[in-house]
């Protein structure tokens, strides 16, 4: 009965090698979020989708892209991962804005 | 954009004592304020939230207060237990975004 699923849970990539992280939800929520959380830091919002509308945070690097092909799925693409992109990536959903978020278990990205 | 500050960054209390964590925000458009508990290696877990039309909310040992005029809100945990030890984050939400405070590492000493 998992509600927000992230795959893979652990991802290892090489410096500069593109990587895609995936998130799916069974809640039929219309808002989906991607956060980056580095060790001992707070989750940092990268972008969110409200339905199909993509909203990028002003300080999200161009290296990060996202796709939402349908309500259930959302992908995070890192085009050329650097060592500084090693982090936990959290996906979250909410029914509408300013309502409870449901987090996935996260994908821990290691960049070699 | 929204800026959320959180204090203290670390807090140690004796079991049974109370713990208070404070946050301030900058964007007057924020009107939803959740608090999360995050254990090591796990996802953030919502423990309580409050909306801007409410000044206080309580759920058993946990309470949150909001002063919208001053743009600050606080988490109060009473009768702390060792299992309350974790990192706690406040957040503020204007529109559809969520902005997190820097976190408070709470240690409850048995």
């Amino acid at each position: 009965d998992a509600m927000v699923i992230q795959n893979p849970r652990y991802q290892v990539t090489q410096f500069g090698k593109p990587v895609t992280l995936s998130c799916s939800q069974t809640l039929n929520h219309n808002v989906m979020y991607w956060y980056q959380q580095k060790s001992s830091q707070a989750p940092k919002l990268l972008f969110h989708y409200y339905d199909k509308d993509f909203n990028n945070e002003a300080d999200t690097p161009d290296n990060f892209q996202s796709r939402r092909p349908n309500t259930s799925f959302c992908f995070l693409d890192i085009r050329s991962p650097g060592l500084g992109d090693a982090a936990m990536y959290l996906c979250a959903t909410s029914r509408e804005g300013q309502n409870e978020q449901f987090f996935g278990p996260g994908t821990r990205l290691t960049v070699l | 954009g929204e800026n959320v500050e959180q204090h203290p960054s670390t807090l140690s209390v004796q079991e049974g004592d109370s713990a208070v964590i404070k946050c301030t925000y900058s964007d007057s458009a924020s009107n939803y304020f959740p608090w999360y508990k995050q254990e090591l290696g796990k996802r953030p877990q919502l423990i309580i939230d409050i909306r801007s039309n409410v000044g206080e909310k309580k759920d058993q040992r946990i309470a949150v207060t909001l002063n919208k005029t001053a743009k600050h809100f606080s988490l109060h945990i009473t009768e702390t237990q060792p299992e309350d030890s974790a990192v706690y984050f406040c957040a503020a939400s204007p529109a559809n975004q969520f902005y997190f405070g820097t976190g408070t590492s709470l240690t409850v000493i048995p």
Side-chain angles (χ1 to χ4, degrees):
Chain A
D1 57 342
M3 297 182 289
V4 183
I5 302 161
Q6 290 189 244
N7 286 304
R9 295 291 308 278
Y10 301 91
Q11 176 73 57
V12 180
T13 191
Q14 292 181 330
F15 183 94
K17 185 175 181 180
V19 67
T20 295
L21 310 181
S22 74
C23 177
S24 63
Q25 54 141 334
T26 59
L27 299 164
N28 202 34
H29 284 170
N30 61 331
V31 191
M32 294 187 77
Y33 305 85
W34 279 106
Y35 292 90
Q36 178 193 64
Q37 187 175 25
K38 295 186 177 180
S39 182
S40 301
Q41 295 185 21
K44 181 181 180 303
L45 182 63
L46 295 174
F47 25 62
H48 75 277
Y49 278 90
Y50 189 103
D51 294 324
K52 294 183 178 180
D53 293 336
F54 176 72
N55 297 273
N56 198 33
E57 292 299 303
D59 57 355
T60 299
D62 292 341
N63 198 24
F64 292 85
Q65 304 286 321
S66 185
R67 297 169 282 136
R68 189 179 186 185
N70 54 53
T71 300
S72 301
F73 285 87
C74 195
F75 300 98
L76 171 62
D77 300 310
I78 308 176
R79 292 192 296 185
S80 181
L83 299 178
D85 296 327
M88 175 75 84
Y89 290 88
L90 293 162
C91 174
T93 73
S94 69
R95 185 176 303 282
E96 293 284 337
Q98 299 173 321
N99 275 291
E100 180 180 358
Q101 287 186 104
F102 292 80
F103 281 90
T107 294
R108 182 163 296 283
L109 177 68
T110 300
V111 181
L112 300 177
Chain B
E2 175 64 279
N3 181 42
V4 181
E5 295 188 357
Q6 183 172 346
H7 300 280
S9 58
T10 60
L11 179 60
S12 291
V13 299
Q14 293 287 335
E15 182 177 358
D17 286 351
S18 296
V20 180
I21 303 170
K22 298 182 179 182
C23 289
T24 61
Y25 64 99
S26 61
D27 190 344
S28 57
S30 290
N31 58 14
Y32 175 63
F33 306 90
W35 285 89
Y36 297 92
K37 176 183 180 181
Q38 189 175 31
E39 297 175 337
L40 191 63
K42 296 189 176 181
R43 75 192 83 184
Q45 179 183 12
L46 179 71
I47 56 171
I48 196 167
D49 56 12
I50 192 168
R51 299 187 184 279
S52 59
N53 59 348
V54 176
E56 185 173 354
K57 184 176 178 180
K58 188 174 182 180
D59 183 4
Q60 298 182 335
R61 296 186 297 111
I62 296 173
V64 58
T65 58
L66 170 66
N67 183 327
K68 194 176 179 185
T69 303
K71 295 194 180 72
H72 64 73
F73 55 116
S74 301
L75 176 71
H76 304 253
I77 306 174
T78 58
E79 301 171 25
T80 53
Q81 301 167 2
E83 51 265 38
D84 294 330
S85 297
V87 178
Y88 290 81
F89 293 101
C90 63
S93 179
N96 300 309
Q97 299 113 311
F98 286 82
Y99 299 99
F100 282 70
T102 47
T104 297
S105 178
L106 174 64
T107 302
V108 179
I109 303 165

